[in-house]
Amino acid sequence: MSAFDTIVIGAGMSGLTSARMLADAGQRVVVLEGRDRIGGRMHTDRSAGFPVDLGASWIHGIEGSPLWDLVHALGIPAIEYTVGSFQVGGRPIENFDGDGRALDEAATAQWIADVDAADRLVEEEIAASNPGDTYLDVTERALDRSGLSPERIDDIREFFRHRVEEQCGAWIGDLDAHGLDEDAIVGDEVIFPRGYDELPRRVGAGLDIRRETTVSRVTRTQGGVVVHAGGSEFAADRVIVTVPLGILKAGAITFEPALPDAVAGPVSRLGMGVFNKIFVQFPERFWNEDTYVIRALGEAGEHWHSWYDVSAVSGIPTLLTFAAGPFGRRMQELPDEDVVADAVSALRLLYGDAVGEPLAHWVTRWGEDAFSNGSYSHLAVGSSHHDHDALAGPVDGVLHFAGEATWGDEPATVGAAFYSGHRAAERILGRSVDLGEFAAGIIARERTEAR
């Protein structure tokens, strides 16, 4: 008899969700986590006295979202912050042209109309695309048909490139033509003033989690599985592997026997993007009070394209910008001071001397993180949405996979991680797990422990 019914590898949102559901069903479950903390790519830094979400920040669309239902049931406060799919309008956005001059109302309206028209053409080109076409291919065809001036086309081209980098962490020429098909936001988006990692911490409370236990090999046997981590072996009837796609692509875990092509194929075809965050706090706000986003178009925004006002979390004027795709990989090799200086110099092109000296900063390097090798998955050229779900397995009835990369409807999100963990638990139990009861169980345990 195995020591455990199920071993879960990885204490991110997907792993903790499946472990919690299985433990609630009476299973003997152990979670093996290489990091010295739980949460995975949900990582909140509280060292400054307020939370800074270095990993996931948003729920992207709360309408009809079971993840939002869970957050709401647990009473976790959220702030509405909707920027929907790198939208071009719909919220107060300060736009600047390629020379760093603020767009007036008429120019802003023209810019929004230009992008909306180009996006409609892009949708037509995606529908008519061939296998192997990239998102660069379809956007260039759309721009060729747009009839716009070369200058206006250049601004839209830059916008499209940054949209892909921000949504996928990839270069536009590496993304499949269908790479943004699932990129639809329904309802408002929200961020978390107490830090997003409150969610995995509360889901995982009370589970048997072995931190700093890095798995190197998973062996399928006649009786189940044996998981090797350091000098220890863990035996179970089955295993759920929830490590990020970047770890699977790097071959950091050996599978014996080797993974069948049904799973190994998606691992090789799907891409793992790099999306890094740079938070900068300033002594005074130099942007408009109601601004959601500052956005530099054309040449002024070649590298640092968008800044998001997240001051509400700390009460200190704070902008969040991103370095993603190839630019993100280059930036993460530089010291913090160089990265911040470069970003702030781009802001000064827009606002001049009104930009004060930064008070504090935070810079992430997810592409160099040994436990993720990137930020989140995307549809690389040659992959398909089916690859996401096929990656979930199971293999031989004992090897399951979960995580954002295994959920085809909305990969690269915390929602995808949560739903994939739920799916893995249901497959193992052979029955449905009610998400309302799941939330109620967490609350009931918290109340019992508080007595």
Side-chain angles (χ1 to χ4, degrees):
M1 178 175 167
S2 298
F4 299 99
D5 296 309
T6 302
I7 297 168
V8 177
I9 303 174
M13 191 63 200
S14 57
L16 296 174
T17 296
S18 56
R20 177 84 275 157
M21 290 176 175
L22 294 173
D24 286 353
Q27 282 208 1
R28 298 163 300 156
V29 181
V30 64
V31 181
L32 307 181
E33 169 57 53
R35 302 181 188 275
D36 60 1
R37 60 173 179 81
I38 68 168
R41 286 167 283 171
M42 301 174 77
H43 181 28
T44 307
D45 181 351
R46 294 182 173 81
S47 60
F50 47 81
V52 179
D53 276 320
L54 302 176
S57 293
W58 274 269
I59 292 182
H60 294 291
I62 63 176
E63 189 175 316
S65 165
L67 177 64
W68 170 246
D69 292 341
L70 174 62
V71 167
H72 187 67
L74 296 181
I76 298 174
I79 300 172
E80 187 269 328
Y81 194 110
T82 303
V83 291
S85 298
F86 201 71
Q87 69 190 44
V88 69
R91 284 293 189 274
I93 299 175
E94 292 184 46
N95 291 296
F96 294 80
D97 68 16
D99 295 319
R101 295 176 301 221
L103 268 59
D104 61 21
E105 191 172 331
T108 297
Q110 183 64 66
W111 164 243
I112 293 171
D114 283 354
V115 176
D116 285 347
D119 263 332
R120 286 192 292 273
L121 294 173
V122 170
E123 288 179 13
E124 294 175 9
E125 293 297 337
I126 291 171
S129 65
N130 296 311
D133 281 348
T134 71
Y135 203 77
L136 178 61
D137 293 331
V138 293
T139 53
E140 286 299 316
R141 290 171 197 158
L143 292 173
D144 285 344
R145 292 172 52 202
S146 70
L148 297 173
S149 69
E151 293 80 7
R152 286 158 73 182
I153 285 176
D154 283 345
D155 285 352
I156 299 172
R157 178 180 287 118
E158 193 79 16
F159 178 83
F160 284 157
R161 178 173 69 82
H162 281 288
R163 182 169 66 185
V164 168
E165 289 178 350
E166 207 164 293
Q167 302 302 105
C168 305
W171 179 56
I172 189 170
D174 289 336
L175 188 73
D176 188 84
H178 292 275
L180 292 182
D181 284 2
E182 78 287 337
D183 193 50
I185 304 297
V186 181
D188 288 336
E189 297 174 276
V190 296
I191 58 175
F192 295 87
R194 290 200 312 222
Y196 209 166
D197 73 345
E198 178 179 348
L199 184 58
R201 283 192 291 109
R202 291 176 67 180
V203 170
L207 291 172
D208 181 1
I209 303 172
R210 315 289 176 89
R211 296 171 177 81
E212 298 183 89
T213 304
T214 303
V215 171
S216 58
R217 188 162 81 252
V218 175
T219 303
R220 305 194 296 284
T221 67
Q222 282 191 324
V225 294
V226 176
V227 175
H228 306 262
S232 302
E233 293 185 356
F234 300 82
D237 296 337
R238 66 196 66 83
V239 63
I240 308 174
V241 180
T242 74
V243 299
L245 175 65
I247 297 302
L248 297 177
K249 291 181 76 69
I253 298 176
T254 301
F255 293 92
E256 298 176 345
L259 294 175
D261 187 63
V263 171
V267 170
S268 66
R269 287 189 293 271
L270 291 168
M272 186 68 173
V274 167
F275 174 84
N276 284 314
K277 293 179 159 186
I278 297 88
F279 295 85
V280 188
Q281 290 189 330
F282 295 94
E284 294 179 351
R285 179 190 298 269
F286 49 83
W287 57 98
N288 293 336
E289 188 69 33
D290 65 346
T291 292
Y292 269 65
V293 185
I294 299 162
R295 185 163 288 153
L297 310 179
E299 189 173 342
E302 180 183 1
H303 291 156
W304 306 103
H305 188 262
S306 298
W307 289 262
Y308 297 82
D309 182 354
V310 293
S311 311
V313 174
S314 65
I316 301 169
T318 307
L319 293 176
L320 165 62
T321 189
F322 306 117
F327 178 62
R329 292 183 186 276
R330 292 199 304 273
M331 285 294 102
Q332 69 187 11
E333 296 176 356
L334 300 177
D336 280 12
E337 292 72 18
D338 292 358
V339 175
V340 173
D342 196 49
V344 171
S345 69
L347 278 173
R348 290 195 172 120
L349 178 65
L350 313 181
Y351 292 96
D353 294 339
V355 181
E357 283 301 311
L359 300 175
H361 64 260
W362 293 259
V363 177
T364 70
R365 292 174 172 79
W366 286 102
E368 296 180 345
D369 187 302
F371 297 104
S372 64
N373 282 343
S375 302
Y376 39 67
S377 65
H378 63 265
L379 279 192
V381 180
S383 63
S384 71
H385 296 289
H386 174 72
D387 283 330
H388 283 294
D389 292 303
L391 177 54
V395 176
D396 296 339
V398 298
L399 177 57
H400 301 257
F401 292 84
E404 55 83 10
T406 73
W407 191 261
D409 283 348
E410 50 175 286
T413 65
V414 175
F418 176 51
Y419 309 142
S420 69
H422 179 214
R423 175 181 59 194
E426 287 189 327
R427 286 178 172 176
I428 288 169
L429 294 172
R431 60 173 175 80
S432 63
V433 176
D434 183 87
L435 292 177
E437 293 178 5
F438 173 67
I442 294 171
I443 294 167
R445 272 189 304 277
E446 291 175 340
R447 287 173 177 165
T448 299
E449 291 169 2
R451 287 176 186 155

